[in-house]
Structure formats: structure tokens, C-alpha cells
Amino acid sequence: MKIPEFMKNATNIYRPEKYIVKQDIFVEQDVLGNSGIYSNDTYYLRNKKLDKEFEFLFKNRDCVNGKRVHSTIYKRKYFKN
């Protein structure tokens, strides 16, 4: 199976009701030593093909849909396949 787009550069992947969400999570520190957890989130509109790929890849998870990793700041992008 080819690696689905939603898997590329993902730190975490989860599936709410209407989307499959890819999180790219990183920690940054400013010059004063303050740190924050940042997340670049990409939302893929769910369809039968994406759901099938998701379920195959994560069939062994205790919670197949996964959960969001909380972050201090996030940025969102939406894609419709």
C-alpha cells in the first residue's frame, strides 16, 4: 500500500466525525527560555477511500479513531479530496 498523504510528516493522526486530522507537533523556545507546543494541523475531509486506509493502518489501536494531542498554539489547513 502506498503511504497515504495524511501519514506524511505526521506526529499524530486522529479521526473525528467529518475529518482525518494530521498533526505535525513541535516544541519551540524563545530567547527568554519560554517554551510552547505548536501543532500544524491538516484536515482531510473523510471519504470511503480515506476511511479504509485509516482503518487498515490503525486497526490495532485500542481506540481506532485516536485522540488529539493538545498544544499551546495550532494552525489549520483544510483539504477536500
Side-chain angles (χ1 to χ4, degrees), residues 31-81:
V31 294
L32 300 174
N34 300 309
S35 59
I37 299 170
Y38 298 87
S39 179
N40 287 326
D41 301 349
T42 306
Y43 285 68
Y44 297 90
L45 190 61
R46 285 174 62 173
N47 59 43
K48 288 181 182 183
K49 178 182 177 283
L50 287 181
D51 275 343
K52 184 176 178 180
E53 292 172 337
F54 185 94
E55 288 169 11
F56 175 79
L57 292 166
F58 298 110
K59 64 186 172 212
N60 294 325
R61 276 184 172 174
D62 289 339
C63 175
V64 71
N65 289 327
K67 292 187 178 189
R68 177 175 181 74
V69 173
H70 296 283
S71 60
T72 310
I73 297 173
Y74 63 88
K75 179 172 72 173
R76 291 182 178 189
K77 293 183 283 185
Y78 290 87
F79 287 94
K80 183 177 179 182
N81 301 327

